[in-house]
């Protein structure tokens, strides 16, 4: 079997797609799995042992550019793929496998894709509420049962690259580290307030921990806001990495932290795939759709009558789904995770 997977455009979804790749390898151990995805995704895909090649999609999200898609498709014909799985539901995502003459093209029914996809599936959202279940189902024949216990994403880490990344950013591992991931690419509705994050940070700083703040350039405002609440005497133990690391470097650094607190974001799924103790905070979205898949995590969600709304901004203007989730509750969840980690490390029974 030689697969071409048309990958998703979001970091978290790309991490969850590894579960599909693992399931394909379980069925066909000698299968080749190539993934067509945005260039940034190589930082994730290169750490998945199931993936043979990352093929850069030269277009940005939402860009049609038919001539570029066709040229890329024609160049892929020589690879002689016998099966394509198209994870996005858009019309344009199905064009390249069709033009590449891949004989079996599997995907969910989406934007007028009849003919482009010849192994069309109809999604029952109640039967498959999780995004990862929907990915995995495409890796099995129609009507086939998927595994009840799904394999978890697991990103590989190169210790030498971790060491290089630590040196590059002048970081040490001399103190336990709390990683905060306060951004959310989707929108502000998924962000826990900056002053709540600072309260959490101060709790650990006073215990002798260091705090690393992660995010893209777009997240610099909220990470700066968090630091503005930290007293001067603790500023030297806080490291604002937002916009300063590549995605690959963020993966390296997250692999070394003792705990992570994150909004529902791509970095949250990366932390889960690194099996870091993780508290995931949900508001406008829900863990019933995209939960972290590691066992040493806790998800917090108030489940208000107005949520999940899946909006980029709070449509009611109050942001209660996040504001009413107190720092004390997150701190307690972190403490419970630490007890769990200590119990596992020592072999003692959990309290």
């Amino acid at each position: 079997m030689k697969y071409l997977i048309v990958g998703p455009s979001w970091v978290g979804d790309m991490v969850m797609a590894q579960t599909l790749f693992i399931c394909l390898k379980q069925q066909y151990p000698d299968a080749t799995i190539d993934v067509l995805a945005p260039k940034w995704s190589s930082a994730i895909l290169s750490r998945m042992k199931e993936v043979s090649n990352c093929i850069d999609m030269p277009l940005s999200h939402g860009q049609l550019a038919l001539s570029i898609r066709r040229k890329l498709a024609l160049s892929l014909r020589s690879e002689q793929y016998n099966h394509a799985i198209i994870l996005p539901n858009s019309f344009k995502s199905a064009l390249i496998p069709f033009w590449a003459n891949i004989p079996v093209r599997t995907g969910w029914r989406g934007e007028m894709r009849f003919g482009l996809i010849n192994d069309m599936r109809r999604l029952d959202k109640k039967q498959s509420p999780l995004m990862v279940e929907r990915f995995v189902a495409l890796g099995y024949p129609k009507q086939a049962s998927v595994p009840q216990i799904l394999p978890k994403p697991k990103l590989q880490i190169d210790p030498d690259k971790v060491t290089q990344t630590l040196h590059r950013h002048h970081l040490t591992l001399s103190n336990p580290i709390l990683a905060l991931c306060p951004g959310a690419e989707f929108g502000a509705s998924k962000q826990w307030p900056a002053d709540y994050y600072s309260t959490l940070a101060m709790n650990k700083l006073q215990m002798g921990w260091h705090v690393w703040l992660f995010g893209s350039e777009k997240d610099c405002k909220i990470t700066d806001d968090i630091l503005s609440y930290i007293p001067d005497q603790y500023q030297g133990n806080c490291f604002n990495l937002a916009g300063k690391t590549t995605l690959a470097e963020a993966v390296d650094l997250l692999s070394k932290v003792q705990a992570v607190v994150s909004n529902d974001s791509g970095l949250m799924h990366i932390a889960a795939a690194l099996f870091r103790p993780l508290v995931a905070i949900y508001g406008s979205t829900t863990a019933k759709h995209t939960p972290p898949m590691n066992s040493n995590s806790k998800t917090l969600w108030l489940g208000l009558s107005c949520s999940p709304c899946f909006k980029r901004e709070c449509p009611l203007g109050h942001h209660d789904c996040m504001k009413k989730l107190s720092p004390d509750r997150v701190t307690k969840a972190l403490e419970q995770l630490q007890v769990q980690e200590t119990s596992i490390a020592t072999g003692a029974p959990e309290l």
Side-chain angles (χ1 to χ4, degrees):
M1 297 293 293
K2 189 170 185 179
Y3 286 94
L4 177 68
I5 311 293
V6 180
S9 298
W10 298 93
V11 173
D13 291 353
M14 189 63 75
V15 173
M16 289 187 287
Q18 188 181 14
T19 298
L20 165 64
F21 309 153
I22 296 170
C23 288
L24 291 175
K25 281 288 193 178
Q26 288 175 345
Q27 296 174 81
Y28 309 105
D30 296 328
T32 296
I33 299 175
D34 292 351
V35 181
L36 173 64
K39 187 174 183 178
W40 59 257
S41 61
S42 63
I44 305 296
L45 295 170
S46 63
R47 298 165 189 269
M48 299 179 180
K49 64 180 182 180
E50 301 80 16
V51 175
S52 300
N53 295 294
C54 312
I55 303 171
D56 290 345
M57 167 59 80
L59 303 173
S60 59
H61 180 61
Q63 190 176 0
L64 185 56
L66 292 176
S67 61
I68 296 176
R69 290 179 188 273
R70 184 168 177 80
K71 182 179 179 180
L72 176 57
L74 295 178
S75 72
L76 292 176
R77 287 184 179 182
S78 61
E79 296 293 334
Q80 297 184 319
Y81 296 107
N82 49 36
H83 199 149
I85 297 177
I86 300 96
L87 296 182
N89 290 328
S90 63
F91 167 81
K92 58 185 176 294
S93 64
L95 289 169
I96 290 175
F98 174 75
W99 282 331
N101 289 342
I102 300 174
V104 180
R105 304 179 298 277
T106 301
W108 296 111
R109 181 176 177 178
E111 296 178 347
M112 298 299 293
R113 309 200 292 181
F114 295 99
L116 297 180
I117 291 179
N118 57 12
D119 178 23
M120 184 80 74
R121 312 291 178 87
R122 288 178 176 267
L123 176 62
D124 183 337
K125 292 184 178 181
K126 291 184 178 179
Q127 183 177 346
S128 302
L130 297 178
M131 176 71 75
V132 70
E133 292 174 335
R134 300 172 188 181
F135 288 170
V136 168
L138 296 177
Y140 289 86
K142 282 183 180 179
Q143 312 306 325
S145 298
V146 301
Q148 289 189 333
I149 300 177
L150 296 176
K152 297 175 173 60
K154 184 178 182 180
L155 300 179
Q156 296 181 309
I157 296 298
D158 182 336
D160 290 337
K161 289 184 178 179
V162 172
T163 299
Q164 293 167 13
T165 302
L166 287 167
H167 289 330
R168 192 176 301 119
H169 293 279
H170 308 289
L171 299 169
T172 69
L173 303 177
S174 57
N175 297 65
I177 300 155
L178 171 66
L180 301 181
C181 306
E185 184 71 19
F186 179 76
S189 66
K190 295 172 71 173
Q191 292 183 324
W192 202 45
D195 56 329
Y196 289 14
Y197 269 111
S198 65
T199 299
L200 199 66
M202 277 302 302
N203 178 273
K204 291 301 184 186
L205 289 166
Q206 290 171 337
M207 296 169 61
W209 285 48
H210 285 183
V211 174
W212 293 355
L213 294 102
F214 289 87
S216 68
E217 289 184 5
K218 295 178 181 179
D219 302 318
C220 288
K221 182 182 184 306
I222 190 169
T223 56
D224 287 344
D225 287 347
I226 292 169
L227 286 176
S228 71
Y229 291 102
I230 304 297
D232 290 344
Q233 68 191 90
Y234 293 106
Q235 287 280 340
N237 293 334
C238 291
F239 300 86
N240 187 358
L241 301 169
K244 299 175 183 177
T245 66
T246 64
L247 181 57
E249 289 175 331
V251 176
D252 288 336
L253 295 176
L254 280 170
S255 74
K256 305 305 293 184
V257 305
Q258 278 64 50
V260 182
V261 177
S262 178
N263 303 326
D264 175 18
S265 67
L267 288 176
M268 181 270 286
H269 287 285
I270 288 173
L274 295 169
F275 291 86
R276 297 296 81 210
L278 166 68
V279 177
I281 301 172
Y282 289 78
S284 62
T285 57
T286 170
K288 294 180 180 179
H289 184 53
T290 54
M293 293 185 67
N294 60 330
S295 55
N296 55 342
S297 64
K298 290 186 178 294
T299 59
L300 299 180
W301 183 58
L302 295 178
L304 303 181
S305 59
C306 55
S307 61
C309 67
F310 297 106
K311 302 294 185 182
R312 292 181 182 271
E313 302 283 344
C314 176
L316 301 177
H318 52 57
H319 209 204
D320 280 353
C321 62
M322 286 299 194
K323 288 183 178 177
K324 289 187 175 181
L325 206 165
S326 70
D328 285 345
R329 185 168 174 180
V330 178
T331 298
K332 183 177 179 180
L334 262 181
E335 291 171 349
Q336 291 171 343
L337 276 176
Q338 289 171 309
V339 169
Q340 177 181 321
E341 287 291 300
T342 301
S343 297
I344 292 171
T346 61
E350 293 183 26
L351 299 177

